[in-house]
Amino acid sequence: MDPFNRDPFHMGENFNKFFETNEKLLKGVENMMNLDYSGYDATEKEVVFEIDRVKLYRYKPKVAKPNAVPTMIVYALVNRYYMMDIQQDRSFIGNLLEGGQDLYLIDWGFPTKDMQYLRMEDYINVYMDACMNFILEEHKIKKANIMGICQGGTFSLIYSALHPEKINAIVSLVTPLDFSTNDGLLFRWGKDLPIEKIVEAYGNVPGDFMNLGFLMLKPFDLAIDKYVKVAQDIDDPQKMVNFMRMEKWIFDSPAQVGATLVQFVNDMYKENKLYKGTFELDGEVVDLKKITAPILVILGLKDNQVPPAATRPIIDAVGSKDKELVEYDTGHIGLFVSGKSQREVAPKVVSFLNQY
């Protein structure tokens, strides 16, 4: 009798699995040593305007006669805009350009210590307005389109309510408005976050600190399961390239300007002022009913960062008569990088903008 209870008929099979695993790992190590995951943020563009550390890019059109009305894209202050251009065969930006759009994009950059006292007034009434004015002057027009993503969508709603005379049409993607919902940990935590103490400790809150909070929204999926899957795919060069591009984006996080973060958490997450109609910017109450431009609102049903309940109320809150809400069975990031994004989301946005 075998004292170690070994089965001689299965030992060969186990050895084969052992050697296959080792071979896979060795191939994976070779892949990682030679991995080139460039190609993100690669769609051609140029800086056409700057104010402080904020840059306005214009993407090179991909059609002979792009839409006569350009679109200004406003991304969130958290993370970097190139999630929309993460790889050339799945570029949300690229798909919009191929659909005939003339695109500008605000790059908020990386804030420095001396910027910690900037407020939402600075971002919206100074930086966004300066960028919009440049676009209007460049094209000799009175109105342009605006596209807001996540927190950038909230900023875009505020801007459109304060400057409706400059807005031709609005696209709002995964944008939070009603912060009263407790769907999703981010919205539940935001109501109790001691944001003043955090900002007092840091000034500008580091991107790594913010990333840790986002990881805790789904710790097993975001911190464990995805790396288990990486081990399974480590010998596939293309899958590893895509993985590394996404990891680069996730951890390429700017610090959050202290005063703006305090203002946003307190006025939105804790007091829900914008939705209630009591939010003020530069002493002016922001009335969303003053938004009368056509608006397309898009959300992801599986969004763990901006739950659908926070986005759906936009439709009833604005004063627009021409308005549409579209819901896709995808997540916060999937809305921009998934196959569904290429097949359905980008074409829907193109179709909407081409009407105006």
Side-chain angles (χ1 to χ4, degrees):
M1 178 179 294
D2 187 335
F4 297 103
N5 197 28
R6 291 172 296 194
D7 184 347
F9 296 102
H10 290 86
M11 287 181 65
E13 180 181 334
N14 290 335
F15 274 120
N16 286 338
K17 289 182 179 178
F18 173 78
F19 286 120
E20 287 174 4
T21 300
N22 273 333
E23 184 179 3
K24 184 172 187 173
L25 288 173
L26 288 171
K27 186 175 181 181
V29 170
E30 182 181 356
N31 285 340
M32 295 300 290
M33 291 177 65
N34 298 289
L35 198 64
D36 177 9
Y37 56 90
S38 60
Y40 61 86
D41 196 21
T43 301
E44 189 173 352
K45 62 185 183 301
E46 64 173 331
V47 176
V48 292
F49 176 72
E50 294 185 66
I51 174 171
D52 295 339
R53 288 186 172 271
V54 176
K55 296 179 180 179
L56 180 67
Y57 287 106
R58 185 183 187 183
Y59 285 91
K60 183 179 180 181
K62 290 193 174 185
V63 298
K65 292 184 178 180
N67 193 332
V69 182
T71 297
M72 183 174 80
I73 301 174
V74 185
Y75 199 73
L77 300 177
V78 179
N79 291 121
R80 300 281 286 150
Y81 64 85
Y82 60 80
M83 179 269 293
M84 298 181 292
D85 191 31
I86 203 72
Q87 60 190 71
Q88 287 302 286
D89 60 338
R90 287 195 172 190
S91 171
F92 187 74
I93 293 289
N95 286 330
L96 297 184
L97 291 170
E98 289 172 3
Q101 303 315 304
D102 191 348
L103 300 180
Y104 290 80
L105 180 140
I106 297 176
D107 179 0
W108 300 117
F110 288 79
T112 53
K113 187 72 173 177
D114 61 319
M115 297 171 64
Q116 64 181 302
Y117 301 109
L118 291 178
R119 293 172 55 83
M120 289 172 64
E121 285 86 346
D122 299 296
Y123 281 101
I124 296 170
N125 274 345
V126 177
Y127 297 146
M128 284 179 63
D129 196 41
C131 290
M132 177 60 79
N133 288 339
F134 173 86
I135 294 170
L136 298 179
E137 292 170 9
E138 183 75 6
H139 290 261
K140 303 295 187 289
I141 55 178
K142 293 184 178 180
K143 295 183 178 183
N145 302 324
I146 192 166
M147 181 185 301
I149 291 92
C150 192
Q151 181 193 36
T154 309
F155 281 16
S156 295
L157 291 176
I158 295 169
Y159 182 83
S160 299
L162 294 175
H163 306 278
E165 73 283 357
K166 299 180 183 181
I167 305 301
N168 179 67
I170 304 166
V171 178
S172 182
L173 297 153
V174 292
T175 294
L177 171 62
D178 184 359
F179 289 79
S180 67
T181 179
N182 283 326
D183 293 350
L185 287 177
L186 184 61
F187 278 66
R188 179 63 191 88
W189 289 346
K191 296 173 177 63
D192 300 317
L193 195 66
I195 190 61
E196 288 89 352
K197 292 183 179 180
I198 295 172
V199 169
E200 183 181 350
Y202 287 107
N204 290 334
V205 180
D208 289 344
F209 182 94
M210 302 294 293
N211 280 335
L212 180 61
F214 288 124
L215 287 175
M216 292 307 294
L217 298 178
K218 296 183 71 179
F220 290 102
D221 287 348
L222 299 178
I224 298 175
D225 287 357
K226 74 171 182 178
Y227 294 111
V228 172
K229 191 174 187 308
V230 166
Q232 297 170 348
D233 296 332
I234 196 169
D235 60 335
D236 187 321
Q238 190 55 53
K239 287 183 178 179
M240 292 310 300
V241 164
N242 294 341
F243 172 80
M244 290 303 297
R245 283 176 180 155
M246 189 58 68
E247 287 293 281
K248 160 69 176 174
W249 173 76
I250 289 172
F251 294 102
D252 185 19
S253 302
Q256 296 302 291
V257 169
T260 294
L261 187 59
V262 168
Q263 190 179 9
F264 193 82
V265 170
N266 286 340
D267 287 355
M268 304 301 164
Y269 282 98
K270 295 186 178 183
E271 299 186 46
N272 205 18
K273 287 184 177 181
L274 182 60
Y275 181 63
K276 291 178 179 177
T278 59
F279 178 70
E280 294 185 15
L281 203 74
D282 279 332
E284 183 176 354
V285 175
V286 179
D287 181 3
L288 296 179
K289 289 298 182 185
K290 291 184 177 179
I291 296 177
T292 57
I295 183 170
L296 172 65
V297 179
I298 296 178
L299 62 82
L301 290 170
K302 296 177 180 176
D303 195 330
N304 293 299
Q305 295 184 38
V306 179
T311 299
R312 290 189 180 112
I314 293 173
I315 289 294
D316 292 328
V318 300
S320 308
K321 293 182 179 180
D322 185 351
K323 50 190 175 182
E324 182 180 3
L325 171 66
V326 183
E327 304 181 1
Y328 291 99
D329 189 27
T330 186
H332 193 79
I333 306 304
L335 199 71
F336 302 94
V337 303
S338 67
K340 184 180 291 290
S341 173
Q342 320 310 307
R343 296 189 304 271
E344 300 179 32
V345 183
K348 177 64 180 178
V349 172
V350 166
S351 175
F352 173 78
L353 290 175
N354 282 343
Q355 295 179 61
Y356 308 104

